[in-house]
Each structure stands twice: as C-alpha cells, then as structure tokens.
Amino acid sequence: MPGKITFYDVLSALDPPQWSSNTLRTRLALNFLQLPYTTVFISYPDIESTLCGLGLEPSNPPPYDKQPAYTLPVIKDGDKWVSGSFDIAVYLAKQYPASPMRRALFPHNTIPLARLIAGYLNDKVLTPARKLAFPRVPTWLDDRGAAYFRATRQQWLGVPLEEYYSSPDEQAKIRIDVLKGLDGISKMLKDHPNGPFLQGEDCGYSDLQVIAVMAWIRRGDPDTWNTAMESPEMKQLWEACEAWLA
Ligand SMILES: N[C@@H](CCC(=O)N[C@@H](CS)C(=O)NCC(=O)O)C(=O)O
C-alpha cells in the first residue's frame, strides 16, 4: 500500500533496481521503520532538473566543478521535503519515534555513534572501494545515466573512468585497504558480546549504514565482499539486516 512518503532513488537497469549506497541507506531506514512509501526512480541526468523544478535547494554548496549540485536520496513526507541520507534518517527518527509497534532508528540516542560510523565508512571503506567499483557503475545504469556518469566523473576525477580503474597490483592493494576498513567494523561488532549489532542487541541506523555499503561492495567488487563475509560478525550482521534491503 503506497503511503504518504515518496522516496526518490537513482534509476538503474538492474533488477531489483536499487544499487546506490547513498540511497540504500534511506531505503533501509524506511523498511526498518516499516513505513509505507512509493519509490520514484530518476535517471542521473534528470536529478538536477527534477529537484530544481520541484523548488528544492541544492544538496551541495558550490562550486560544482567536482561535485553535483543536487543529489539523491530525497524524500517527500506530506508537504515536507528532506534531502541527504543522514538528514533523512534524523528526520524519520524524530517523526516516527519508537513505540510498542516500532523500533528506534537510533536506539539509546546513538545519533553521535551513527555520525561517526558515517565518517568512518566514507573515509576507510567507500573512498578506496570507489576505485574498484566506479568503472563498473555505468554497466548498471540506464543508457542516459551511464553516459552522464562517464562524462561527469571524467570531469570531477580528471581522468576517464577506464583510467581510474587501476592495475591488478594496485587493485590488490586497494582491496586490502577496503578489507582493513571493514575489519575495523567487525572489531567494533565484537566489542559487544551480546551483538550482533553495533548497539549490541538493538539494530539501528549505524548498522544500516554498514549494510548499505556492503550491498554496494557486493555488486561493485564481489571478491572483496566474499572475503569480508568471512568475518563471523559481519556475516551475522548481514544476515540480520539483509531483508531490509528489498
Ligand atoms: N552524502 C550524500 C551523497 C548523495 C549522493 O552523492 N548521491 C548521488 C547518487 S549515488 C547523486 O545523487 N549524484 C548526483 C549526480 O551525480 O549528479 C547522501 O548521503 O545523501
């Protein structure tokens, strides 16, 4: 049953279509909170014109020579628009707090922990993982999206995507960096003897952010995903959360 929330996600040629770690964070949060929503998929080249046409402010500040002005995810809840995955999560947690029928998105007031995890994942996992996965992204997209992704990333990275793809030796080193980053998460998970979540027995947005990144890595570099899943803590976390990816 479509509810009053509309969720704007990036169009792809995949089945199922969801793939972006940024928008998966929002999808996971909506599913975790069991909120009904309708998804609108937008092709990359239409994101700016669509969001600008809806009267929204840019998601990023200028200059735009190395980053887009407008990004997804965005949600509309009634009359309220919210953009940026973290801001959306904070909004949803406030608007849809824990109740006997609903879990807390940030159990035990863990917004600060979730912010730290967002930064950690970006610096230690996503930044190196992009070097492995980026060249594959156009193969997942609709034709217009793929052409846009190639052109904009060439402009922002300063090299064609094919050249961004490193040699097999470099790739092996990057994989080690990504796995080190993920190992850091496994160690944090181990710190909670009552696991399997970063908050112990309670799942929350910190965990969902890990799952969004893991889902992206699974598609972008399956070898790294397989190795990371050899960690019993990571495997347990994945198995506990994967249903919310759908
Ligand atoms: N930190 C932001 C990042 C959002 C982001 O970069 N989204 C990408 C989609 S994966 C986007 O919309 N890019 C627009 C473009 O490349 O033109 C968030 O988590 O919301």
Side-chain angles (χ1 to χ4, degrees), residues 120-238:
Y120 178 91
L121 288 171
N122 189 53
D123 297 349
K124 304 284 185 199
V125 182
L126 275 172
T127 298
R130 279 189 195 106
K131 294 204 164 186
L132 298 172
F134 256 27
R136 297 190 181 149
V137 172
T139 65
W140 310 336
L141 299 174
D142 57 301
D143 290 347
R144 292 176 62 244
Y148 171 92
F149 192 88
R150 279 181 198 289
T152 51
R153 273 50 182 181
Q154 171 157 354
Q155 186 193 327
W156 299 339
L157 301 168
V159 286
L161 272 188
E162 288 65 26
E163 286 173 32
Y164 195 58
Y165 205 42
S166 29
S167 67
D169 273 2
E170 280 170 308
Q171 282 182 47
K173 283 189 202 139
I174 296 167
R175 261 188 204 111
I176 290 171
D177 285 343
V178 175
L179 288 167
K180 265 191 202 153
L182 291 173
D183 191 48
I185 298 285
S186 292
K187 289 199 172 100
M188 290 179 220
L189 288 165
K190 225 182 202 160
D191 283 341
H192 263 302
N194 298 336
F197 304 111
L198 286 166
Q199 296 90 190
E201 288 173 6
D202 296 312
C203 184
Y205 193 64
S206 298
D207 304 292
L208 302 182
Q209 292 181 106
V210 176
I211 297 304
V213 168
M214 286 298 285
W216 188 72
I217 291 176
R218 181 169 63 161
R219 192 176 293 287
D221 197 54
D223 285 350
T224 302
W225 190 81
N226 282 326
T227 310
M229 291 298 277
E230 286 169 15
S231 146
E233 291 78 23
M234 189 60 83
K235 190 165 188 295
Q236 228 186 333
L237 180 70
W238 176 268

Side-chain angles (χ1 to χ4, degrees), residues 6 13 20 30 39 42-43 49 79 89 109 129 131-132 136 139 155 194 209 233:
T6 309
S20 147
L30 290 165
T39 309
I42 307 180
S43 180
S49 57
D79 294 335
N109 298 321
K131 294 204 164 186
L132 298 172
R136 297 190 181 149
T139 65
Q155 186 193 327
N194 298 336
Q209 292 181 106
E233 291 78 23

Side-chain angles (χ1 to χ4, degrees), residues 19-36:
W19 65 275
S20 147
S21 65
N22 293 312
T23 58
L24 276 173
R25 289 195 279 268
T26 298
R27 183 177 293 278
L28 281 157
L30 290 165
N31 290 340
F32 175 84
L33 291 171
Q34 295 183 289
L35 295 170

